[in-house]
Amino acid sequence: ISCLFCSGSRSSKTFKPKKNIPEGSHQYELLKHAEATLGSGNLRMAVMLPEGEDLNEWVAVNTVDFFNQINMLYGTITDFCTEESCPVMSAGPKYEYHWADGTNIKKPIKCSAPKYIDYLMTWVQDQLDDETLFPSKIGVPFPKNFMSVAKTILKRLFRVYAHIYHQHFDPVIQLQEEAHLNTSFKHFIFFVQEFNLIDRRELAPLQELIEKLTSKDR
């Protein structure tokens, strides 16, 4: 799994710059631990907090990793997600998302899916790059509001998975990326379930898929 998105793959066109965890740092060691446990194939075990580790740090490392994965997955289908094909940001006919970040755009705006996802991924990247929110140096404490920020990031990243599954699954199959997408999403879901990070109502657009992917591993 650590080679799920090898740089040698055809789809090296990424949507946003990759967020790197500095080598040699404790967070890098945690990321390596996560990759090693993923390799065992047991996703329920892989998402559990390693013994003696800080929950905030574990959530931070995995949030960065999910951002990079979703970034790459969406990057492979940007040609199919256009102003014309996706004039609104949706996850099927029942779910439509309007963008607001609370600072630059306070009142939610209706926009196309590519615009929404651009806003969303830029916003996430800004959070990840903020050293006061996501400290990369050892000994620098996480802020008190860290978990609520992480929950908002993961809630929004879920919407990109939901949009890809509902609106762009055909190109995913054409590109032979179905297994990548399913493994990445399953890992994401097990992680947010383990630490109760996304409200069930937010997961509704992919509820059937979630039940299908997770039922085998209860």
Side-chain angles (χ1 to χ4, degrees), residues 27-97:
Q27 291 185 7
Y28 187 77
E29 296 308 310
L30 272 181
L31 182 65
K32 290 283 152 247
H33 169 86
E35 285 178 356
T37 52
L38 278 172
S40 73
N42 186 335
L43 284 170
R44 283 264 182 244
M45 292 287 290
V47 297
M48 286 177 183
L49 179 66
E51 209 174 322
E53 292 298 343
D54 174 50
L55 178 60
N56 284 345
E57 195 152 38
W58 183 239
V59 169
V61 165
N62 282 279
T63 300
V64 170
D65 194 33
F66 290 128
F67 169 76
N68 286 337
Q69 288 186 38
I70 294 166
N71 203 356
M72 280 216 190
L73 282 162
Y74 183 71
T76 64
I77 58 106
T78 49
D79 291 348
F80 305 94
C81 186
T82 63
E83 299 282 327
E84 293 73 40
S85 69
C86 303
V88 295
M89 173 63 178
S90 64
K94 283 197 280 188
Y95 301 96
E96 187 179 307
Y97 301 111

Side-chain angles (χ1 to χ4, degrees), residues 3 29-30 34 55 68-70 76 88 118 135-136 147-148 152 158 163 176 184 196 205 212 214:
C3 196
E29 296 308 310
L30 272 181
L55 178 60
N68 286 337
Q69 288 186 38
I70 294 166
T76 64
V88 295
D118 190 23
S136 58
M147 209 49 92
S148 69
T152 304
F158 168 81
H163 180 72
Q176 298 180 324
S184 173
N196 201 18
K212 193 171 132 195
T214 58

